[in-house]
Amino acid sequence: MKPGVCLLALMVEVPLIFAAHPLAAPRRTSLTNPQIKYQLTDQHTVTLRRGNVTAIIVDNAAVDTKALPGHRAGYNGVASLKYTGQDENLFVPALAGLNFEHIHDGTPDLKEKFEPRKFPMQLRIISADTVELYQPPTENWKLESCGRYQILEDGTLEYTFECIPHADLFKNGYIGLFWASYIQAPEDCRIHFYGKPVKQLNQSETLLHARTPSHGVDSTHPPAHGAFFPELAANFPLTLVNHPSAYRYSQPWYYGIRDNYSYTQLFRDRDQIWFAQSPTGGGGKNPAWDFQWFIPDYQPGEAYGFVMRAHYAPWSDHATLQKSVQKHLSALAQD
């Protein structure tokens, strides 16, 4: 046998293996999984009900109905979240929660601060308990995305977000994304999470009650074990992104309380989500309980994603809440 033939055979039999990106998409939405079937709707909202929770998912069109009076254009995601017997929406009625808000690269030259608001979105109905919010590549960043909202048996929402950058436009080498939940006038604007002071990361974690004095001040709480810290220009205009607080969180979940109900956002450690907050993000006495996500070392054409859950239930005390969300934290940790 000729030497060249042997070498060729060896090359064919031993394929190259590339390591997956740590933030690679889980491939659970119709963006990345062609096996997922969906139906389109000519409506701008879809209602999900399960357990004691009712959630209305909305695209970024304006809506003015009995269920969503005066809902503004641009505010996508969960337009309404209510528990059985509750009249008032958790979120500011004109705005939304789990609202996909910003796409950026940490530089000040943003052609549009609120890009996900400005370009069309499409509601895709997967089943009676699952809907997706798909957005084609946006005009400026060329980011294609899909957010999957599934209401679980106890009324908790599982949110899976996947995206594909279609051009190498992010100048600092990472993709920055941001989600906002605009809370309707809670008595207490604080958020609560386990963490440590930045200057004492070796000490034991404690339950922190974080209050930011004003919009864009001490607004962001990175993970204590964070391996990536984004480069951000000093004059970067999105102030909730680039003003870290004196704390780092040590467990990947936090909650706030409104009208005797708790709203808890739970994440996977592996996704390296950053918490964020503003006392007036929704205007007046309406705080924003937010989070952001960074994708370092991205490659155009590759898919990235994360999974989180939003739990809404009557509030009694911290220990009871922690016990009730533990199954969700465990599920996310094993995901």
Side-chain angles (χ1 to χ4, degrees), residues 1 3-16:
M1 186 176 293
V5 174
C6 291
L7 179 59
L8 179 60
L10 180 63
M11 291 173 67
V12 171
E13 291 172 3
V14 186
L16 295 175

Side-chain angles (χ1 to χ4, degrees), residues 165-243:
H166 287 281
D168 190 11
L169 299 174
F170 297 84
K171 297 177 182 178
N172 280 331
Y174 70 85
I175 300 171
L177 306 174
F178 193 97
W179 283 259
S181 288
Y182 297 109
I183 311 301
Q184 185 179 180
E187 292 182 0
D188 188 345
C189 290
R190 295 179 301 173
I191 63 172
H192 313 272
F193 57 90
Y194 284 100
K196 307 174 183 180
V198 174
K199 296 180 179 180
Q200 297 174 324
L201 292 179
N202 292 327
Q203 74 173 29
S204 299
E205 67 179 13
T206 58
L207 181 61
L208 301 171
H209 312 283
R211 183 194 305 275
T212 176
S214 60
H215 185 84
V217 177
D218 298 333
S219 58
T220 302
H221 314 292
H225 57 285
F228 174 75
F229 287 81
E231 180 181 348
L232 295 161
N235 58 341
F236 182 63
L238 304 178
T239 56
L240 296 191
V241 174
N242 63 342
H243 287 80

Side-chain angles (χ1 to χ4, degrees), residues 21-23 172-176 227-228 293-299 304:
H21 193 285
L23 300 177
N172 280 331
Y174 70 85
I175 300 171
F228 174 75
W293 186 50
F294 303 101
I295 309 170
D297 304 319
Y298 76 95
Q299 293 295 324
Y304 305 94

Side-chain angles (χ1 to χ4, degrees), residues 222-281:
H225 57 285
F228 174 75
F229 287 81
E231 180 181 348
L232 295 161
N235 58 341
F236 182 63
L238 304 178
T239 56
L240 296 191
V241 174
N242 63 342
H243 287 80
S245 74
Y247 301 113
R248 301 288 184 267
Y249 75 79
S250 55
Q251 295 187 25
W253 63 290
Y254 81 89
Y255 67 92
I257 302 166
R258 179 193 180 273
D259 192 26
N260 295 319
Y261 292 86
S262 58
Y263 176 60
T264 308
Q265 298 180 73
L266 309 102
F267 307 94
R268 303 189 304 185
D269 258 326
R270 58 187 282 190
D271 293 325
Q272 294 282 285
I273 298 293
W274 291 34
F275 304 164
Q277 65 181 129
S278 165
T280 56

Side-chain angles (χ1 to χ4, degrees), residues 83-87 261:
Y83 200 85
T84 297
Q86 188 179 26
D87 293 327
Y261 292 86

